[in-house]
Amino acid sequence: MPDRGGGPTGPRIRVGRPSRRVRTLLMTLGVLAVLGMAFTMFAGFWTDWLWYRSVNYSSVFTTTLWTKIGLFFVFGLLMALAVGFNIWLAHRLRPPLSAMSMEQQSLDRYRMGIAPYKKWLLFAITALVGLIAGASASSQWRTWLMWVNGVPFHQKDPQFHLDVSFYAFDLPWYRFLLGFGFAAAILSLIAAALTHYLYGGLRITSPGARATAAATGHLSVLLGIFVALKAVAYWLDRYGLAVKSSDFKATDNWTGLRYVDANAYLPAKTILFCIAVICALLFFATLWRRTWQLPMIGFGLMVLSAILIGGLYPAIVQKFQVQPNEQAKEAPYVEKNLKATREAYGIDGTQVTEYSGKSNTTDKTKLRDDVDSTASVRIMDPNVVSPTFQQLQQIRNYYAFPTNLDVDRYTKDGKDQDTVIGLRELNLNGIPKNNWINDHFRYTHGYGAVAAKGTEADAEGRPVFTESDLPSTGDLGTYQQRIYYGEKTTTYSIVGGPQKEIDYSDDNGEKTTSYAGKSGVNLSNPVNRAAYAVAFGEPQILYSGAIGEGSRILYNRTPKERVEAVAPWLTIDGDAYPAVVDGKIQWIVDAYTTTNGYPYASRTTLGDTTADSLTATNNSRAVVAQQNQVNYIRNSVKATVDAYTGDVKLYQWDTEDPVLKTWMKAFPGTVKPRTAIPDSLMDHLRYPQDLFKVQRELLTRYHVKDAQTFLSGSEVWQVPDEPTNKSGDAVPPYYLSMKMPDQTAQAFSLTTTFTPNGRDNLSAFMAVDSEPGTPDYGKIRILKLPTNTTVNGPKQVQSQFNSEQDIAESIKLLKGGDSDVEYGNLLTVPLDGGLLYVEPVYVRGGGLKYPLLRKVLVTYGGNTAFEDTLDEALNKVFGAEGTTTTPPDESTTSPPTSSNPTVQEALNDAQKAFETGQEALKKGDWQAYGEAQKDLEDALKRAEDAQTKADKTSGGSGGGSSPSPSSTASSSPSGSPSSSPSSSPNSG
């Protein structure tokens, strides 16, 4: 063709193979991509290994890893061999000549297409099914370890008389094997059928026989294996009835045999087993008979039998035998369920005592005095006062306290004191500037514990701190205050290297430190740095100059996270709590062993039964469950996590628990014996909340032992809703040092109340002894109220508080301005046949960002008081006003007089400060009220100092007419939430 473009003609472009340079580049990129993916996988594995080694639990990592690898390869290989062998055998049994038909001519094209790749195709198919099967099997590592290490319960089920370990450890593994066998049989059958069809062994539209004799024999054997497995399934289903859940009007999640199960389903399963065995033999017989006629008749009979015997017959028994006389028929099986459920949840030793709910004592003074010996009434609610701790003890914005503080007990002067405690943890949201260095190198830890008396408040309604300030000082003594591991520490930190950390700040500026512990993983190794850079997606880790010799990376830093990682077979309680033990801050974590294979024990859902008004607002308090549906639970392990070093220790708590013994066999050396628990740590252990919540939920029905009462439902209770709000969430249990009627002294206890199903009056009070190391630890006591009288429940008591006119007017006054009223925990205390209710009332407002205790609500025997202090409220309720001086009315009060002019001036200032405080109180101006209270305290102190000086000058005569500060305080008008320092609430 002529050149029509008017210019030089360019070179021709050839379309063909890419150049060597391009091919080399593509190969290089491919190799790099593969290496990158391989290193990413290696990084995850390597960092996990390094972490487990750093906490000295490498055996957990290796045992788990090798178990998963072993299961993956064994079952992956078995599945690959089963499917691959049947494909090979079907190909081997193909007919030498295919029929001349359109169907076979179409298949010829496919046969010719795959002929060169047959081996590769076989390898690909077997590898794929092997990988899938291996991955599925590796997830069963817990099932395998429990089966191979299972120990006996030494308890037998009432139906088959087998040890409980068969249902808890053996039956789950047998069911997995059965499921794997079904999967292998079905996949092999499908693969063999497709291969026979592809090579002419099976025909759909071709003339003549639909299958060759070889194909018939092969597929019949596979069908026989499938039916034989079904026979095994029928046999195992017999035992499965003992752990089967079903709907039953007596209770949700009923588990175990009922009348229809024992008398219809159980014989039906036995009959179906026999039919399935015969049917399987008929399929195997086709190897000789070469016909499917008898096997298919047998298979049809089995299906029909399953419908009639396994479905229709039990329905007839239920309809015509059980329903006309259900209670009599079901009673023996309900008794088995009652016994097993109470044993499985550890509530079989519950002591239920009748309790009148009304006191017959007429001596009010004695009742008032009995309050002190019966309970240490806690007026500091750990779920309300966290903002107060935050405001008064945060010190720096980069510290924070948990939303819910904890209750513990500490000994002071030989006496136990209920204590509200929280740790000043790191809060990255409060640091001056967020960047990578600040977030991960400079701000690395919290500092110090803060504690307050649970039974007292100061004159301004603030907590009475027993450990406070920064660094913290007080009753807890000397201890390592740096908190590198805590509930709010959710990000990683790199410590111990060239970059200094901010320790804490005081009036002299910031103090710096460098982590001296051995926790975490060393980053001096470049391989480690590269692995963490990839695993955390932080390339700076690889090249940052802030990392050098001695740098260590800390992660997995919350106590629950660490315990769950080192013991992945445990269920973790939702509330880890701190304690100062032997000069260290230790997080204490309760952990449980569970199973859902306890015969006849009804199941419960942990996520539901452990939910309450606190978990609804704080997700971090939710239980960490390995198994959400369980029917056996034990608090078998007490764990500790050192807040500075991160060291995790697991202690055996329940020495009889067979589930824990099984896991201790599987992971030897990971759990220390109970005897290794130090006495100093034992003093701070307690009964765990989540176990208590599970048990109280079960006890709403299982407090009765009589089958007829259980079936009638007349004694069903419910856990009441939180009375202080309208959320509809269950009221949480409360820790309290108290004495039950049959106890001789107070014991640290966990308590709750019950109401009748659908009603608000009180039906029972429950407490569990939480004093570790004592014979009664874990003993559950229930005080059952009479059903023929009505005793107010928590919601009714709260409603009574809100509806009384005087209290309502006082509440309205407290809400004046922009103030908010917050109700604390409504505590219930059994007292001389009656029930004492105590509820602290807090006010937040007037410019204050935190709640202060202003009033205490008390009711007993129909008498209610709403006073400034617990003592005053108790005195009013019990009519024991004579035990304290009653302040005169404000309108008749005049300043006290003194012959000493200095004292008189101070007293006048005190009176003026008091009146200013009263005016601020009426306006709801809490900031002004707080300032006036401080002025009042200062004036009284000046008066006391001046009077003391005058007494010394005059030889101690006191001047004759000078009142003391205490008498001045007692003459102050009433109506103030805290009229003087001497009127602060005490322990009652």
Side-chain angles (χ1 to χ4, degrees):
M1 296 291 291
D3 182 10
R4 299 180 184 274
T9 303
R12 295 183 178 180
I13 300 176
R14 291 186 177 181
V15 179
R17 296 179 62 189
S19 66
R20 178 176 296 179
R21 180 179 299 177
V22 173
R23 292 201 305 272
T24 303
L25 177 61
L26 291 174
M27 290 180 62
T28 303
L29 292 175
V31 170
L32 290 176
V34 172
L35 290 176
M37 289 188 292
F39 188 78
T40 301
M41 296 173 62
F42 166 78
F45 162 80
W46 185 242
T47 53
D48 285 347
W49 160 250
L50 291 174
W51 186 85
Y52 276 97
R53 191 175 64 174
S54 73
V55 293
N56 298 317
Y57 282 90
S58 55
S59 62
V60 174
F61 178 80
T62 54
T63 299
T64 304
L65 178 64
W66 286 116
T67 302
K68 289 180 178 179
I69 291 174
L71 292 172
F72 177 87
F73 279 106
V74 169
F75 286 95
L77 186 61
L78 286 175
M79 182 65 77
L81 287 174
V83 175
F85 172 76
N86 281 283
I87 293 175
W88 172 84
L89 184 59
H91 179 265
R92 183 73 177 269
L93 297 175
R94 69 190 185 278
L97 296 174
S98 58
M100 298 301 295
S101 66
M102 293 297 295
E103 178 186 22
Q104 292 303 313
Q105 289 176 11
S106 299
L107 290 174
D108 277 340
R109 291 196 296 270
Y110 292 103
R111 288 193 284 264
M112 293 174 63
I114 66 173
Y117 311 105
K118 284 193 296 186
K119 292 182 179 179
W120 289 106
L121 186 60
L122 176 63
F123 175 78
I125 292 173
T126 55
L128 179 62
V129 296
L131 287 173
I132 295 173
S136 176
S138 66
S139 66
Q140 297 294 320
W141 63 271
R142 290 183 178 88
T143 307
W144 161 259
L145 287 176
M146 293 183 77
W147 178 68
V148 78
N149 295 288
V151 301
F153 277 67
H154 299 297
Q155 291 176 287
K156 295 184 177 181
D157 78 282
Q159 182 66 43
F160 301 102
H161 307 292
L162 297 173
D163 192 90
V164 172
S165 61
F166 170 80
Y167 301 93
F169 306 141
D170 299 344
L171 191 57
W173 179 249
Y174 297 154
R175 282 176 165 166
F176 163 73
L177 291 178
L178 185 63
F180 178 83
F182 274 123
I186 291 172
L187 289 175
S188 297
L189 183 63
I190 293 172
L194 289 175
T195 306
H196 279 300
Y197 176 70
L198 180 63
Y199 286 97
L202 287 178
R203 308 180 185 95
I204 298 177
T205 61
S206 300
R210 299 298 182 196
T212 63
T216 300
H218 184 194
L219 296 179
S220 295
V221 170
L222 291 176
L223 285 169
I225 292 173
F226 175 84
V227 176
L229 290 172
K230 187 62 180 174
V232 176
Y234 281 133
W235 189 256
L236 289 181
D237 284 347
R238 299 169 67 258
Y239 303 110
L241 292 172
V243 290
K244 183 194 73 171
S245 289
S246 60
D247 294 330
F248 188 34
K249 69 178 185 179
T251 181
D252 296 329
N253 293 319
W254 170 275
T255 302
L257 286 85
R258 290 156 49 197
Y259 181 89
V260 69
D261 296 313
N263 295 277
Y265 280 112
L266 186 57
K269 296 293 183 183
T270 305
I271 295 171
L272 289 172
F273 163 76
C274 297
I275 294 174
V277 170
I278 295 171
C279 185
L281 293 175
L282 290 176
F283 273 108
F284 293 141
T286 57
L287 286 173
W288 296 275
R289 292 180 56 83
R290 303 295 182 180
T291 176
W292 281 350
Q293 185 176 6
L294 285 178
M296 295 310 295
I297 292 174
F299 188 79
L301 177 62
M302 186 179 74
V303 172
L304 183 63
S305 301
I307 296 172
L308 296 178
I309 302 175
L312 184 60
Y313 174 63
I316 293 173
V317 171
Q318 178 69 24
K319 179 69 175 179
F320 294 102
Q321 292 191 33
V322 178
Q323 288 185 5
N325 192 16
E326 186 172 33
Q327 289 203 355
K329 295 291 187 181
E330 299 288 13
Y333 304 95
V334 170
E335 289 177 358
K336 296 175 184 178
N337 177 270
L338 285 169
K339 183 176 183 296
T341 301
R342 292 168 64 88
E343 290 173 351
Y345 290 95
I347 57 177
D348 50 324
T350 300
Q351 174 183 303
V352 180
T353 307
E354 299 294 331
Y355 193 72
S356 66
K358 294 182 179 179
S359 173
N360 296 318
T361 301
T362 56
D363 187 348
K364 300 294 184 180
T365 303
K366 180 180 182 303
L367 281 176
R368 172 64 185 89
D369 294 339
D370 285 347
V371 175
D372 296 341
S373 61
T374 301
S376 298
V377 180
R378 180 171 42 76
I379 56 176
M380 283 288 112
D381 186 348
N383 306 309
V384 173
V385 299
S386 178
T388 309
F389 273 52
Q390 186 83 357
Q391 185 69 23
L392 302 178
Q393 290 296 319
Q394 179 187 22
I395 311 297
R396 293 290 183 268
N397 287 336
Y398 48 83
Y399 294 131
F401 292 92
T403 305
N404 306 105
L405 303 176
D406 288 291
V407 178
D408 202 348
R409 58 263 189 242
Y410 288 85
T411 302
K412 178 66 182 261
D413 299 329
K415 295 180 63 177
D416 284 344
Q417 169 68 52
D418 284 6
T419 301
V420 177
I421 187 170
L423 300 189
R424 193 184 286 113
E425 294 191 47
L426 179 66
N427 173 30
L428 287 178
N429 293 327
I431 67 176
K433 184 178 181 180
N434 287 101
N435 56 54
W436 192 63
I437 294 296
N438 278 347
D439 291 353
H440 300 290
F441 290 83
R442 287 177 56 78
Y443 295 91
T444 59
H445 60 278
Y447 209 99
V450 175
K453 294 182 179 181
T455 55
E456 295 185 25
D458 70 7
E460 297 182 27
R462 299 175 302 191
V464 177
F465 290 108
T466 57
E467 183 80 10
S468 58
D469 300 332
L470 183 67
S472 294
T473 57
D475 295 346
L476 301 184
T478 303
Y479 59 97
Q480 173 57 263
Q481 298 198 17
R482 297 175 182 89
I483 302 162
Y484 284 87
Y485 295 88
E487 290 181 304
K488 302 179 77 68
T489 316
T490 56
T491 188
Y492 71 90
S493 290
I494 299 176
V495 299
Q499 177 67 58
K500 290 292 185 180
E501 310 162 42
I502 293 176
D503 201 19
Y504 64 89
S505 301
D506 58 17
D507 295 337
N508 298 320
E510 290 182 348
K511 309 292 184 182
T512 59
T513 187
S514 187
Y515 184 66
K518 300 300 182 184
S519 183
V521 178
N522 196 323
L523 292 181
S524 300
N525 186 327
V527 175
N528 291 357
R529 291 178 67 170
Y532 278 102
V534 171
F536 285 11
E538 294 281 8
Q540 299 98 317
I541 295 177
L542 186 59
Y543 54 77
S544 174
I547 302 175
E549 189 65 31
S551 291
R552 310 182 73 83
I553 185 168
L554 312 180
Y555 61 105
N556 289 347
R557 297 170 70 183
T558 66
K560 292 196 296 183
E561 195 174 37
R562 293 180 78 77
V563 175
E564 183 191 13
V566 303
W569 32 272
L570 290 175
T571 292
I572 312 300
D573 190 272
D575 184 29
Y577 59 98
V580 177
V581 181
D582 295 332
K584 302 174 183 178
I585 298 176
Q586 297 282 349
W587 288 99
I588 301 175
V589 183
D590 285 289
Y592 312 106
T593 46
T594 62
T595 180
N596 64 0
Y598 198 100
Y600 271 103
S602 290
R603 289 186 172 90
T604 189
T605 304
L606 292 179
D608 294 337
T609 54
T610 59
D612 58 26
S613 61
L614 298 183
T615 59
T617 57
N618 186 358
N619 289 333
S620 64
R621 292 180 66 94
V623 64
V624 182
Q626 302 295 339
Q627 205 173 25
N628 200 26
Q629 275 255 326
V630 303
N631 67 351
Y632 172 94
I633 185 170
R634 289 290 185 273
N635 176 212
S636 52
V637 171
K638 300 284 188 181
T640 62
V641 177
D642 192 293
Y644 181 73
T645 66
D647 287 344
V648 182
K649 293 180 180 178
L650 307 176
Y651 296 101
Q652 182 183 18
W653 185 247
D654 190 330
T655 57
E656 302 299 323
D657 177 30
V659 181
L660 178 61
K661 291 179 180 178
T662 295
W663 287 119
M664 290 175 68
K665 279 183 64 179
F667 297 95
T670 57
V671 181
K672 299 177 182 295
R674 178 167 177 154
T675 53
I677 300 177
D679 291 339
S680 54
L681 174 61
M682 184 74 77
D683 292 339
H684 295 279
L685 301 181
R686 67 189 191 188
Y687 201 82
Q689 293 188 63
D690 283 339
L691 175 61
F692 183 79
K693 286 188 280 188
V694 169
Q695 290 174 326
R696 75 172 179 178
E697 183 65 31
L698 268 296
L699 282 167
T700 58
R701 291 180 179 272
Y702 287 90
H703 62 277
V704 301
K705 298 181 180 180
D706 176 63
Q708 300 294 337
T709 306
F710 184 84
L711 284 167
S712 70
S714 60
E715 291 288 335
V716 175
W717 299 337
Q718 65 182 14
V719 178
D721 294 338
E722 175 62 66
T724 61
N725 58 53
K726 298 180 180 180
S727 65
D729 299 308
V731 63
Y734 295 122
Y735 286 105
L736 183 69
S737 289
M738 57 166 291
K739 180 175 67 175
M740 291 289 276
D742 65 325
Q743 292 179 292
T744 57
Q746 290 184 24
F748 194 61
S749 304
L750 190 54
T751 66
T752 192
T753 54
F754 295 108
T755 58
N757 193 26
R759 294 192 294 163
D760 294 325
N761 57 290
L762 195 69
S763 57
F765 174 83
M766 172 180 168
V768 62
D769 194 316
S770 298
E771 291 282 357
T774 62
D776 277 354
Y777 173 85
K779 183 175 183 178
I780 299 174
R781 295 176 171 88
I782 292 180
L783 303 180
K784 184 175 178 293
L785 279 299
T787 56
N788 57 351
T789 59
T790 300
V791 178
N792 286 340
K795 189 174 181 179
Q796 292 173 321
V797 170
Q798 188 67 45
S799 178
Q800 180 182 342
F801 284 156
N802 297 336
S803 61
E804 289 204 12
Q805 184 176 355
D806 293 343
I807 296 177
E809 290 179 356
S810 299
I811 294 290
K812 185 177 180 180
L813 179 62
L814 291 174
K815 289 183 178 179
D818 60 348
S819 300
D820 292 322
V821 170
E822 296 183 30
Y823 295 101
N825 38 219
L826 179 57
L827 300 176
T828 308
V829 178
L831 178 66
D832 193 56
L835 291 160
L836 175 71
Y837 287 97
V838 179
E839 183 176 67
V841 179
Y842 302 83
V843 175
R844 186 203 302 247
L848 295 178
K849 298 179 180 179
Y850 55 95
L852 297 174
L853 180 69
R854 292 308 185 195
K855 293 283 185 178
V856 180
L857 284 161
V858 174
T859 184
Y860 183 83
N863 298 322
T864 302
F866 185 61
E867 301 298 324
D868 299 339
T869 69
L870 177 61
D871 270 348
E872 291 174 5
L874 291 171
N875 290 340
K876 183 175 180 180
V877 163
F878 293 105
E881 298 286 358
T883 59
T884 59
T885 304
T886 304
D889 186 76
E890 181 180 0
S891 60
T892 62
T893 303
S894 59
T897 58
S898 173
S899 59
N900 187 317
T902 305
V903 174
Q904 185 60 50
E905 180 182 3
L907 292 176
N908 291 339
D909 290 343
Q911 182 66 22
K912 183 178 178 181
F914 177 78
E915 293 171 353
T916 301
Q918 293 301 299
E919 290 298 321
L921 178 63
K922 292 177 181 179
K923 296 177 182 178
D925 188 347
W926 295 109
Q927 186 172 1
Y929 175 78
E931 294 173 355
Q933 290 298 301
K934 189 175 185 304
D935 292 341
L936 173 62
E937 188 175 353
D938 292 342
L940 292 176
K941 184 69 167 61
R942 283 192 285 113
E944 183 178 13
D945 292 343
Q947 184 62 49
T948 301
K949 184 176 181 181
D951 289 345
K952 290 181 179 179
T953 304
S954 61
S957 64
S961 61
S962 293
S964 68
S966 60
S967 64
T968 304
S970 66
S971 66
S972 299
S974 62
S976 165
S978 50
S979 57
S980 74
S982 65
S983 66
S984 62
N986 57 35
S987 62

